[in-house]
Amino acid sequence: MAFTSSSKRGLDTRFPILLFTFWCLVQAPQPAAAQALFEVNTTGSARDLVPGDGMCLTFLGRCSLRAAIEEANATPNGASPDVIRFTGIPVTGGLAVISLAGDGLPAITDAVVIDGTTAAGEVVLDGTSVTSPGEALTASGLVLDAGSEGSTVRGLTVGKFPWFGILLRSDNHVIVENRVGVRGDRTDIGNGKAGVYLASDNNIVGRAGEGNVIGFNGSAGIHLLNAQNNTIRGNYIGTDDTGFAMGNYHLNGFEFAGGITVNADSNIIGGPMPGMGNIIGFNNRSGIYVDGVGNKIRGNYIGADTSGRNIANTFRGILIHDGGGNTIGGIGDGMGNVIGFNPYGILLWAPETKIQGNYIGTNDAGDDLGNGVAILIGTDGGYGNVIGFGKNAAIDLSVDKGNVIAFNESGILIGEGLIGAAPTNNTVRGNSFYNNDELAIDLGADGPTVNDTGDADAGANTLLNFPDVTRAFYRPGSDAIVVEYSISTAGTQAYPLTVDAYLADDPASGEGKTFIGSSSYTSSGAIAQWEIPAGGIAWDPMDHVVLTVTDTLGNTSEFSPAQGPLDPLSIAAARRGGSAPALEFETEERGVSAPYPNPFSGIASVTITPASDGPVRARLFDLLGREVRPVFDGRLPAGSPATFRIDAGDLPAGVYVLRVEMDGFAATRRLALVR
């Protein structure tokens, strides 16, 4: 009813008594209470009238979110968190906007469950008018402080705060189904700094089917600082389920990420089960940045979403900047990340990162999602990394799998950077490379590295010589793929070396697409003839073989030039007009040196030393048996070395065969022409 003038005077005389009573209640210590339920029914932000009396009640007789938090803080609730719901909050146009001013909401100091999904519309915490920009505790949306351990925040939209959307300063919280920096209609309400900031341990930010949507924030979408054992799963960071661009910016640091920045140890980002991976796209600088030890990045979609849509981050998919012992991907189904469309897929400036089971530039459907560079290992600290399988590991692709690296402009560049020593001891084994524009493995990031006698040079991965393969063919009698090769290594090289064989994606590129076996090599310069059982290998007569070698320190070479085809009869069958000879393989070299350089870009040379006086004929053929260039046709004296130029002229890039006929036999050498 309306107050009369006398009743107003009565209220005036009682007000000091009410004020004194309120002061006493606030000052008195409050005993632990059972779980309480507070029903927010106003979009206002008035304070609670008597914190600790068990009632969420402002001076106007309503329950605001501020009052509910104050009441929860004032009454310790024992083992069960208080619950804050929004069933009765008024909704206009689908929104319940709680506009905050001054110092924002109070920090939460007792365990609560705040459930915005109970409202009839979207509950928006709007920090536009918060005027304490210099202090994280008073300028952030929700602050879970000491004493609030075990809280849950669900279904809120938080934006326009000068600092963080949600700040976790205590442990064991669950943050799910929120929108941070963006409304449900995709309106930009970004916070000034990180969307979610973790300075505590054992928190869950997103779960499968309960992820947060985090976009438009001025720093990282999620930032972890000195925070351990946190799990970040199922979130959309910089985008949403439609591929909408709402990238987080991070304009204030060269190295940090707009997506997820991890300045912390032992955290998990993503996971192997459906829905556990984060979708990370359109963010400034990097999708994920790591400066820490023992973090695991698994099952995420970075720069490409689950449908193969381009949501590229502006610079890098993943940057491992410092620390060590981090893992990208892992063993088992669903552990690998899909990384596509970024200028750099993965950039390593730190040691001892394990990269396994990822799709880089493609996905499990084989789509073209190419990055600029698949993986770059920089000069400043990029040593001891493992891409695929380790230096001593047995490779069993029926149990584990390496990475699939395809459709990128470059495969793995080892040694590009501005400062620091060349990276070494980086192992690349058991991966599948195909359809990359440039080299699959590039030591020094400068194109093909030519083998040198004795392997005496130094640089990225010690510029380890690749195996010099003289022939590769199929032997029907033993049902084996036979590879004959030698390796020139330094006298100080520790043995044994591990040689890995692959079927190439095509003879021109010479990328190892299909791993077929490993062998041990024990003596520098020795010619090894290796029989690889072919029964379990899906091979084609026109397939070619490439090899890499890995030393005992973990350095892996570039791929050798492709050798093949595996069934020489296929060449004869493919000849045009029957005029070109079949390119048979002989067991002896008989005075024909390995062409140098190989691969070559325009001119190579070969030295021929006949055993007897007589005619010598040297010609260059393509892989269909067609003669493309004469090299020499004349007589040479016995025992006198003669060196000849092989001028590729305008020939297209690819693999060619040098055939030398002398002394009653024919020898062949393979050359890779690169442009």
Side-chain angles (χ1 to χ4, degrees), residues 396-671:
D396 184 353
L397 297 182
S398 67
V399 177
D400 308 327
K401 60 182 179 180
N403 304 281
V404 180
I405 302 173
F407 300 111
N408 305 285
E409 293 179 18
S410 300
I412 300 175
L413 303 182
I414 301 177
E416 183 177 77
L418 300 177
I419 58 174
T424 57
N425 305 346
N426 295 288
T427 303
V428 184
R429 301 184 61 222
N431 306 285
S432 177
F433 296 89
Y434 64 92
N435 287 5
N436 298 289
D437 293 340
E438 299 177 9
L439 294 184
I441 304 171
D442 186 349
L443 304 186
D446 55 1
T449 300
V450 177
N451 282 347
D452 60 308
T453 303
D455 204 12
D457 52 0
N461 269 15
T462 72
L463 298 183
L464 185 65
N465 281 351
F466 54 76
D468 181 11
V469 185
T470 55
R471 59 182 185 147
F473 62 95
Y474 174 67
R475 178 173 287 162
S478 56
D479 189 25
I481 294 171
V482 179
V483 183
E484 190 172 275
Y485 69 94
S486 62
I487 306 174
S488 179
T489 56
T492 58
Q493 184 70 55
Y495 287 91
L497 309 179
T498 300
V499 180
D500 295 319
Y502 305 79
L503 300 179
D505 64 335
D506 67 61
S509 70
E511 297 183 88
K513 183 176 183 180
T514 305
F515 171 80
I516 59 174
S518 296
S519 184
S520 182
Y521 186 83
T522 58
S523 179
S524 177
I527 297 176
Q529 190 172 94
W530 174 18
E531 288 198 0
I532 305 170
I537 300 171
W539 65 279
D540 184 271
M542 295 300 293
D543 278 338
H544 288 63
V545 172
V546 291
L547 305 184
T548 62
V549 61
T550 301
D551 67 18
T552 54
L553 298 177
N555 297 291
T556 297
S557 72
E558 295 177 358
F559 281 104
S560 67
Q563 293 288 351
L566 292 180
D567 185 354
L569 295 178
S570 298
I571 287 289
R575 284 181 296 144
R576 294 184 177 179
S579 59
L583 302 180
E584 299 89 355
F585 294 85
E586 298 295 331
T587 58
E588 299 180 37
E589 296 311 310
R590 296 190 185 182
V592 181
S593 72
Y596 180 87
N598 191 12
F600 72 115
S601 60
I603 296 176
S605 63
V606 63
T607 299
I608 300 173
T609 309
S612 59
D613 293 344
V616 175
R617 191 180 189 191
R619 293 173 291 168
L620 194 67
F621 292 85
D622 66 15
L623 289 179
L624 292 179
R626 298 172 297 193
E627 182 178 344
V628 296
R629 196 73 89 238
V631 176
F632 177 75
D633 192 353
R635 300 183 67 88
L636 292 175
S640 179
T643 300
F644 300 96
R645 286 162 49 98
I646 303 171
D647 188 346
D650 58 354
L651 292 176
V655 175
Y656 294 87
V657 179
L658 174 69
R659 179 183 173 93
V660 179
E661 301 168 23
M662 64 181 181
D663 298 330
F665 78 97
T668 56
R669 287 289 200 180
R670 298 298 188 272
L671 299 90

Side-chain angles (χ1 to χ4, degrees), residues 147-184:
S148 67
E149 291 81 358
S151 293
T152 297
V153 177
R154 181 189 300 275
L156 297 179
T157 296
V158 186
K160 295 292 187 180
F161 288 89
W163 277 59
F164 311 118
I166 300 174
L167 169 60
L168 307 184
R169 288 165 46 98
S170 55
D171 304 335
N172 300 305
H173 300 300
V174 176
I175 310 297
V176 291
E177 297 185 284
N178 301 284
R179 291 181 171 272
V180 185
V182 58
R183 281 195 341 215

